[in-house]
C-alpha cells in the first residue's frame, strides 16, 4: 500500500506540476466545454420584435389595432411616415413595417380585411409572427360585424363592449428550463469526450515509460507491475473526478445554470462513467505497442462513438440503424441516464442503466488484465 501511495503521489506531481498538457486536459477543457454550450444555447430564449406602423386610416378600429400591437409581449411598436419606411427597414431599426391604408376599417367591417401591407426584409421568420396575432385580432372584429348583421348601431355597441370587456386576461412568464437542460446535456456530452481522451492520455504513461525504460527500472525496485497499474488507475480516477468537479462548479456557480438534477446524482453518474473511461483506456494501451499507436487508436474509437451516442447532437437526428448501434456504447447510457433523471426519474429506479455502465467497466478491465498478462515479454522501443 505504501508503494502505491508513493507512486500515486509521484504521478500526480509529474502530471499537474510538470506537464502543462495535462493541466489543459484536466482543467481547461471542461471550462471550454461549458462555455461552448452556454454560447450555443444561451440565446435560445428569443429577442423582441421591432415593428414600424404607418397609419393612413385614422379610425377607431385602426387606432385600436395599433394599440393591440403595442400590447403584444416582446413587441416594440414605432409610428412612422412613408418617407421613413425605407430607411428604418434597411438600417434594421425595425424588423417589419405594417401599413394601414385608407379603407382598412371599412374592409374589416365588411368581413373582407384588406388595405393592409406588411413589409420586411427578414422574411417569414418575422411576418409569420406578426400575422399570427394581427390576423386573429382582425378576424375577431370582423366576426362582431357579421354578428351585428349590418346594423351599425349594434356593431358599435358590441365593439365598445369588446374593447371594454369586464374580464381580463393576465399573463405570467414561465421559466423556460429547456435552455438550461440543453446546456447541461451539451456540456456533459463534451465532458464525456474529454474524460475519454484524458483517461487514454493518462494511461498512455505506462507505454511511454516502457519506451523510456523507466517502467523496467521501477520493476527492479520493490514496486510490482500490479502495483504500478493500480497506481495509474487511482491517479487516473483522481484526475477524472477533478474534471467532473470543475465542470459541475462551472455549471452551477460560474454560469448559474439550473441542471434540474441533484448535483450529487450527476456527480455519481459521471464518476461511474470515469471507471468506464479508465477501463477503455487500459484496453487501448493493452492492444497497442507504442504511444503513437495508442494516440491513433483512441481517435479512431473515441470520436466516432461520441458522435453516434449523441454527445454533440441529439441521436434522433441519425438513422434508425445508427441509433441501434449507439445502444451498444457506454456514452449512450450515460446520456440516457441523465435525460431520465432530468425528466423526474429517481436514480434508484435506473438500476438497469447503472448496471450496464458497471458491466462496461468490468468487461473493459477484465479484457485489459487478460491482454496485459499475456504481454509479459520485455520489448525494446525504438
Amino acid at each position: 500500500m505504501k508503494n502505491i501511495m508513493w507512486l500515486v503521489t509521484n504521478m500526480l506531481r509529474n502530471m499537474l506540476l510538470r506537464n502543462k498538457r495535462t493541466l489543459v486536459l484536466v482543467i481547461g477543457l471542461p471550462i471550454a466545454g461549458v462555455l461552448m454550450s452556454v454560447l450555443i444555447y444561451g440565446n435560445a430564449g428569443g429577442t423582441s420584435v421591432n415593428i414600424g406602423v404607418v397609419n393612413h386610416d385614422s379610425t377607431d378600429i385602426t387606432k385600436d389595432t395599433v394599440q393591440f400591437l403595442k400590447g403584444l409581449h416582446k413587441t416594440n411598436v414605432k409610428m412612422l411616415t412613408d418617407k421613413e419606411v425605407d430607411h428604418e427597414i434597411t438600417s434594421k431599426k425595425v424588423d417589419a413595417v405594417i401599413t394601414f391604408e385608407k379603407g382598412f376599417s371599412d374592409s374589416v367591417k365588411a368581413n373582407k380585411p384588406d388595405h393592409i401591407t406588411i413589409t420586411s426584409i427578414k422574411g417569414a421568420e418575422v411576418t409569420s409572427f406578426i400575422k399570427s396575432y394581427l390576423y386573429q385580432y382582425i378576424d375577431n372584429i370582423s366576426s362582431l360585424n357579421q354578428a351585428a348583421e349590418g346594423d351599425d348601431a349594434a356593431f358599435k355597441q358590441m365593439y365598445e363592449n369588446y374593447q371594454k370587456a369586464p374580464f381580463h386576461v393576465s399573463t405570467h412568464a414561465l421559466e423556460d428550463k429547456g435552455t438550461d437542460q440543453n446546456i447541461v446535456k451539451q456540456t456533459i456530452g463534451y465532458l464525456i469526450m474529454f474524460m475519454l481522451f484524458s483517461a487514454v492520455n493518462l494511461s498512455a504513461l505506462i507505454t511511454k515509460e516502457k519506451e523510456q525504460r523507466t517502467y523496467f527500472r521501477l520493476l527492479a525496485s520493490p514496486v510490482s507491475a500490479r502495483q504500478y497499474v493500480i497506481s495509474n488507475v487511482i491517479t487516473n480516477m483522481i484526475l477524472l473526478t477533478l474534471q467532473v468537479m470543475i465542470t459541475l462548479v462551472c455549471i452551477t456557480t460560474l454560469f448559474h445554470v439550473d441542471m434540474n438534477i441533484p448535483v450529487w446524482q450527476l456527480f455519481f453518474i459521471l464518476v461511474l462513467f470515469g471507471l468506464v473511461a479508465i477501463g477503455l483506456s487500459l484496453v487501448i494501451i493493452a492492444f497497442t505497442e507504442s504511444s503513437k499507436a495508442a494516440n491513433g487508436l483512441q481517435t479512431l474509437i473515441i470520436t466516432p462513438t461520441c458522435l453516434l451516442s449523441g454527445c454533440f447532437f441529439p441521436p434522433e437526428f441519425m438513422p434508425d440503424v445508427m441509433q441501434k448501434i449507439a445502444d451498444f456504447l457506454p456514452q449512450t447510457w450515460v446520456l440516457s441516464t441523465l435525460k431520465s433523471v432530468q425528466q423526474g426519474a429517481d436514480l434508484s429506479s435506473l438500476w438497469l442503466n447503472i448496471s450496464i455502465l458497471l458491466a462496461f467497466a468490468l468487461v473493459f478491465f477484465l479484457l485489459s488484465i487478460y491482454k496485459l498478462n499475456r504481454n509479459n515479454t520485455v520489448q525494446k522501443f525504438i
Side-chain angles (χ1 to χ4, degrees):
M1 188 65 184
K2 183 179 179 180
N3 290 338
I4 293 177
M5 294 304 299
W6 178 81
L7 286 170
V8 170
T9 303
N10 187 60
M11 289 179 182
L12 287 173
R13 186 185 300 113
N14 290 335
M15 290 176 181
L16 294 178
L17 300 181
R18 301 177 184 175
N19 194 331
K20 294 182 179 179
R21 182 184 177 186
T22 304
L23 281 176
V24 173
L25 281 173
V26 174
I27 299 175
L29 289 182
I31 298 175
V34 179
L35 182 59
M36 285 189 294
S37 301
V38 171
L39 291 176
I40 291 172
Y41 292 102
N43 295 323
T47 56
S48 298
V49 177
N50 298 314
I51 302 174
V53 174
V54 178
N55 187 6
H56 294 304
D57 189 54
S58 56
T59 61
D60 291 338
I61 292 179
T62 308
K63 292 177 181 178
D64 291 337
T65 304
V66 174
Q67 290 299 317
F68 167 77
L69 291 172
K70 290 181 178 179
L72 292 177
H73 182 58
K74 287 189 176 183
T75 301
N76 301 317
V77 176
K78 181 179 182 181
M79 302 304 296
L80 302 174
T81 62
D82 289 328
K83 296 180 179 180
E84 296 174 322
V85 172
D86 291 340
H87 173 71
E88 293 289 325
I89 291 181
T90 55
S91 62
K92 297 183 179 179
K93 293 182 179 180
V94 296
D95 300 306
V97 173
I98 302 174
T99 303
F100 296 100
E101 301 291 349
K102 190 171 183 62
F104 167 74
S105 60
D106 292 334
S107 67
V108 171
K109 289 191 291 185
N111 202 24
K112 295 180 180 179
D114 200 353
H115 302 284
I116 178 174
T117 57
I118 301 176
T119 307
S120 174
I121 61 174
K122 293 190 175 182
E125 180 182 356
V126 173
T127 57
S128 296
F129 168 80
I130 298 173
K131 289 177 181 179
S132 62
Y133 288 98
L134 180 59
Y135 288 3
Q136 181 180 6
Y137 176 83
I138 293 173
D139 287 343
N140 290 339
I141 304 301
S142 297
S143 299
L144 293 178
N145 189 65
Q146 189 176 6
E149 297 180 346
D151 188 340
D152 290 338
F155 170 76
K156 185 177 180 180
Q157 184 64 42
M158 286 189 291
Y159 181 75
E160 290 178 355
N161 292 337
Y162 176 74
Q163 296 296 331
K164 302 176 181 179
F167 58 87
H168 300 279
V169 178
S170 60
T171 60
H172 301 275
L174 299 178
E175 183 181 359
D176 182 12
K177 294 186 177 181
T179 300
D180 285 349
Q181 290 185 11
N182 287 330
I183 291 175
V184 174
K185 289 176 186 176
Q186 191 67 69
T187 301
I188 300 306
Y190 290 140
L191 178 62
I192 287 172
M193 182 184 68
F194 297 152
M195 291 175 70
L196 288 169
F197 276 112
S198 298
V200 175
N201 279 278
L202 296 174
S203 295
L205 182 64
I206 299 173
T207 303
K208 289 181 180 179
E209 294 196 342
K210 281 185 177 181
E211 293 175 343
Q212 298 169 358
R213 315 304 293 171
T214 306
Y215 173 77
F216 301 108
R217 289 197 295 271
L218 280 172
L219 295 188
S221 68
V223 176
S224 66
R226 180 176 300 176
Q227 289 176 331
Y228 179 79
V229 174
I230 292 174
S231 302
N232 184 279
V233 171
I234 294 175
T235 304
N236 216 332
M237 196 65 207
I238 291 173
L239 294 178
L240 291 185
T241 303
L242 181 60
Q243 270 192 327
V244 173
M245 293 174 63
I246 291 172
T247 303
L248 296 182
V249 169
C250 286
I251 292 176
T252 57
T253 304
L254 187 60
F255 294 100
H256 304 287
V257 176
D258 183 8
M259 297 189 297
N260 199 33
I261 172 176
V263 176
W264 73 266
Q265 292 187 5
L266 184 55
F267 178 79
F268 171 77
I269 295 170
L270 293 174
V271 169
L272 180 59
F273 178 75
L275 292 174
V276 178
I278 295 172
L280 178 61
S281 69
L282 290 176
V283 171
I284 292 175
I285 298 304
F287 281 86
T288 53
E289 298 180 353
S290 67
S291 56
K292 290 183 179 180
N295 289 334
L297 188 58
Q298 74 168 345
T299 303
L300 187 64
I301 292 176
I302 294 175
T303 304
T305 55
C306 286
L307 283 170
L308 287 174
S309 58
C311 290
F312 308 136
F313 52 82
E316 291 79 12
F317 293 165
M318 296 185 296
D320 293 338
V321 176
M322 297 297 184
Q323 294 184 41
K324 291 179 180 179
I325 295 175
D327 290 338
F328 295 92
L329 302 174
Q331 299 99 308
T332 301
W333 292 97
V334 175
L335 295 174
S336 175
T337 304
L338 170 64
K339 182 178 179 180
S340 298
V341 176
Q342 282 186 324
Q343 292 176 347
D346 188 61
L347 188 60
S348 59
S349 65
L350 302 174
W351 60 268
L352 178 61
N353 297 42
I354 296 174
S355 300
I356 290 174
L357 289 173
L358 287 172
F360 271 115
L362 182 61
V363 169
F364 288 150
F365 275 110
L366 291 177
L367 186 59
S368 62
I369 291 171
Y370 171 78
K371 184 62 178 176
L372 288 171
N373 285 335
R374 291 179 62 87
N375 288 345
N376 55 6
T377 58
V378 177
Q379 303 178 34
K380 291 184 179 180
F381 293 87
I382 301 176

